[in-house]
Amino acid sequence: MRIGLIGTGRIGTFHAEVLSRHPAVDALLLADADPERAAAAALRTGGTAVTVDDQFTGAGEAQGLPDAVVICSATAAHAGLIARAARTGLPVFCEKPIALDLPGTLAALAEVEAAGSLLQLGFMRRFDAGYGEARAAVREGRLGRLHTVRAVTSDPTPPPAAYLPLSGGLYRDCLVHDFDILRWVTGREVSEVYATGSDTGPAMFREAGDVDTAAALLTLDDGTLATATATRCNGAGYDVRMELAGELDQIAVGLDDRTPLTSAEPGGPGAPAKPWPGFLERFAPAYEAELDAFLRVVRGELGNPCDGREALHALRIAEACEVSRRERRPVAMTEIPGG
């Protein structure tokens, strides 16, 4: 297969390296708004540097259209590239989000649906072994009636200040993963949210109109209560966990010898010798699995594991949280367009 990839920053280069090793990929076409960065990634992965236009026209160094395109560009470019790929008839894998707002997301989805093309979104936690086991435990009834879910996402250090105004905010950029995986693991929909946030950390968050720490209480449609918390300032390390408590049992995802958590109990577990430093290390196998799944979907061997509508559901929850934080009130999901 010939795979095009647009955006050769950190996650794009990581994906390019994964694709370059995949036995189904014969050629890798790499494009970036910065041609030098694309050339460097091509040298590193054995791919061919092309322009973004080449990906959709087959001209220049591309010498023909790819079989599919992987979009890892800046978030603001996602919706336009998805629409362009749809009009060209190219299957697309896109890093989340589709767009930073609901109108942009709905417009891009309309293009995909009008063209009848394929769009898979990069919610990699769906391909993590721990979350997969949690989903099976819930679906098989091993926990009994599920009553409480607790989700945690904590980054060890804040992103660059220039990134914050482009990120969409902590709910859309970070907690959206928790909102997606909550739906996927439980099989339930969120009916109401109540969210708040704190901007008492670095000044750059206040300057960007964002928060560095956030919490949301989510009521699911069967009455299950879930909490989701996130912070950009967790000095102990990268921490992503989910706890699921039922009437029969309780389990945790992301609890291992690298979880950056120290027990305060005498004789309890101490700090890990090698805590997780970031998302690429923690979820490397999941990132590989999601790209493998995408290639199988393109070849017709697998159904789409995370289409654009799934991404829309997670974004709507993030939007509801932003409204709740701003207006300091519970928000019903029926208030958010696009349902």
Side-chain angles (χ1 to χ4, degrees):
M1 300 176 70
R2 288 165 51 84
I3 303 298
L5 184 143
I6 301 172
T8 53
R10 179 170 57 159
I11 189 63
T13 298
F14 182 89
H15 283 333
E17 290 174 343
V18 170
L19 291 166
S20 71
R21 298 191 298 266
H22 198 286
V25 177
D26 303 312
L28 191 57
L29 309 173
L30 305 178
D32 194 280
D34 180 351
E36 291 185 3
R37 192 160 68 172
L43 184 63
R44 183 171 176 174
T45 61
T48 301
V50 302
T51 69
V52 173
D53 284 342
D54 290 344
Q55 300 277 25
F56 300 108
T57 64
E61 295 296 321
Q63 297 181 358
L65 289 174
D67 295 302
V69 172
V70 173
I71 297 174
C72 311
S73 62
T75 297
H78 286 187
L81 291 171
I82 289 170
R84 192 171 181 186
R87 293 192 293 268
T88 309
L90 292 174
V92 169
F93 174 93
C94 184
E95 276 299 324
K96 64 84 191 166
I98 294 173
L100 287 178
D101 58 20
L102 281 172
T105 298
L106 292 169
L109 288 178
E111 292 268 13
V112 171
E113 290 167 4
S117 58
L118 167 70
L119 171 62
Q120 179 181 327
L121 264 291
F123 281 109
M124 77 291 185
R125 295 187 195 181
R126 293 180 177 221
F127 298 87
D128 176 77
Y131 284 108
E133 174 60 20
R135 174 183 165 99
V138 171
R139 303 303 177 87
E140 294 167 11
R142 283 185 258 151
L143 306 183
R145 181 186 66 85
L146 188 65
H147 52 74
T148 309
V149 182
R150 308 175 190 94
V152 175
T153 294
S154 300
D155 288 333
T157 55
Y163 173 76
L164 293 178
L166 309 175
S167 71
L170 192 57
Y171 293 106
R172 298 185 189 94
D173 180 52
C174 186
L175 276 166
V176 72
H177 280 289
D178 296 276
F179 302 149
D180 175 72
I181 205 64
L182 176 64
R183 295 180 60 252
W184 189 77
V185 167
T186 66
R188 312 303 308 193
E189 297 296 342
V190 173
S191 60
E192 184 181 84
V193 310
Y194 187 81
T196 188
S198 169
D199 62 1
T200 58
M204 64 182 182
F205 289 97
R206 292 185 291 279
E207 293 164 359
D210 196 6
V211 294
D212 59 76
T213 303
L217 172 63
L218 313 162
T219 303
L220 307 190
D221 58 10
D222 65 347
T224 300
L225 297 180
T227 59
T229 64
T231 184
R232 301 287 199 184
C233 306
N234 195 58
Y238 182 71
D239 188 11
V240 170
R241 283 176 285 123
M242 174 180 273
E243 301 170 7
L244 300 105
E247 290 184 333
L248 298 180
D249 202 358
Q250 179 174 237
I251 59 174
V253 179
L255 183 61
D256 58 23
D257 61 2
R258 299 190 68 179
T259 303
L261 194 64
T262 303
S263 174
E265 298 295 331
K274 191 177 180 182
W276 292 109
F279 63 91
L280 286 179
E281 295 82 5
R282 165 68 176 84
F283 288 110
Y287 279 118
E288 295 202 24
E290 72 176 354
L291 284 177
D292 178 71
F294 174 61
L295 298 179
R296 292 175 62 197
V297 172
V298 173
R299 296 198 302 265
E301 301 170 0
L302 186 72
N304 191 340
C306 189
D307 64 21
R309 288 287 163 184
E310 294 291 290
L312 173 63
H313 289 308
L315 177 61
R316 290 181 65 247
I317 299 169
E319 292 287 330
C321 286
E322 285 287 4
V323 174
S324 178
R325 179 179 73 90
R326 184 172 63 247
E327 300 182 3
R328 303 182 67 84
R329 66 176 179 87
V331 175
M333 289 305 302
T334 53
E335 297 181 47
I336 308 301

